[in-house]
Amino acid sequence: AQSVTQPDIHITVSEGASLELRCNYSYGATPYLFWYVQSPGQGLQLLLKYFSGDTLVQGIKGFEAEFKRSQSSFNLRKPSVHWSDAAEYFCAVGASDSSYKLIFGSGTRLLVRP
Amino acid sequence: EADIYQTPRYLVIGTGKKITLECSQTMGHDKMYWYQQDPGMELHLIHYSYGVNSTEKGDLSSESTVSRIRTEHFPLTLESARPSHTSQYLCASSETGSVYGYTFGSGTRLTVV
């Protein structure tokens, strides 16, 4: 069965510092991979997605993610974090059974120090 | 503006009450989903629908039920609320041909006392 692991429950970075959020997936074929962000009291907003092609994917708000098949990873990065980036971040994989269900990781809470 | 709406945003209700969480979308999407989000943030699929009169149970067992009588409307009902139902419920929709192109609502935070 597919699964997504986000090993970091919380991450704290200083404003202006770089950020990397880790995501590992378990999937037999080439996965559909996603990163979502959730601000307090809000729903989820899509940051970026990977289906195929270039393994470095650009998203909104200055985020990017790199698909590494050999490591089964899809880590999210941002070169310079802003205080408004503080939120919950979820990695997700599309189910392999054509149901179009998304399977989410447990999330990483990003805290930004001024 | 095309969007997906969930009401109410917050609900505090007593044990044993029947409740319905509303979800409506104006985008004409055929697929709709309900996710339950634990206080510890994990999201679990509890129901989904591929179109009118189509509903399926998700990966997490839930005592709630859903209906899809109209394309735009996908309400979730709890016949008898219990404290264990306290959670955030997120509704999402996606369209055929837009693989996993989910749009999420803002969620309903339910507290059963």
Side-chain angles (χ1 to χ4, degrees):
Chain A
Q2 300 127 285
S3 65
V4 177
T5 302
Q6 293 181 248
D8 302 306
I9 298 174
H10 298 99
I11 281 187
T12 301
V13 299
S14 297
E15 191 168 16
S18 63
L19 169 71
E20 183 169 33
L21 302 182
R22 296 184 291 165
C23 172
N24 292 97
Y25 64 90
S26 170
Y27 194 89
T30 299
Y32 295 135
L33 293 163
F34 306 81
W35 275 100
Y36 284 86
V37 61
Q38 184 180 33
S39 298
Q42 298 298 315
L44 276 69
Q45 181 183 21
L46 180 66
L47 284 175
L48 47 79
K49 59 188 176 185
Y50 172 79
F51 287 175
S52 64
D54 193 346
T55 56
L56 185 62
V57 180
Q58 302 296 322
I60 62 171
K61 304 186 180 187
F63 286 92
E64 66 177 28
E66 186 170 13
F67 170 61
K68 293 186 178 181
R69 184 189 301 276
S70 61
Q71 298 176 19
S72 297
S73 70
F74 189 55
N75 294 349
L76 182 71
R77 302 194 294 246
K78 186 169 185 178
S80 178
V81 169
H82 188 263
W83 63 266
S84 60
D85 293 324
E88 321 283 356
Y89 290 81
F90 292 91
C91 183
V93 64
S96 62
D97 59 1
S98 302
S99 66
Y100 299 105
K101 294 182 287 185
L102 282 177
I103 298 164
F104 286 89
S106 56
T108 297
R109 177 165 295 178
L110 174 64
L111 303 173
V112 180
R113 281 193 297 256
Chain B
E1 181 181 332
D3 209 338
I4 182 165
Y5 305 95
Q6 288 187 246
T7 57
R9 287 295 307 278
Y10 303 93
L11 178 62
V12 180
I13 200 161
T15 297
K17 299 292 186 182
K18 178 180 178 178
I19 58 171
T20 296
L21 308 185
E22 301 289 348
C23 176
S24 294
Q25 50 97 2
T26 58
M27 297 169 284
H29 287 174
D30 52 352
K31 299 180 184 62
M32 297 189 74
Y33 309 83
W34 277 104
Y35 282 83
Q36 183 174 336
Q37 185 171 28
D38 301 337
M41 296 190 302
E42 282 202 48
L43 289 123
H44 299 285
L45 181 68
I46 52 174
H47 297 284
Y48 61 102
S49 167
Y50 288 154
V52 172
N53 295 324
S54 154
T55 62
E56 301 285 345
K57 290 192 176 295
D59 302 321
L60 179 69
S61 176
S62 174
E63 294 167 348
S64 59
T65 59
V66 293
S67 63
R68 189 90 182 275
I69 299 172
R70 302 198 313 268
T71 297
E72 63 272 20
H73 195 213
F74 192 42
L76 181 145
T77 297
L78 280 164
E79 290 293 334
S80 180
R82 295 208 299 268
S84 61
H85 297 139
T86 294
S87 190
Q88 170 147 267
Y89 293 84
L90 289 168
C91 182
S93 69
S94 67
E95 62 178 338
T96 300
S98 175
V99 181
Y100 303 104
Y102 279 40
T103 301
F104 279 88
S106 298
T108 294
R109 185 168 294 281
L110 172 66
T111 302
V112 183
V113 298

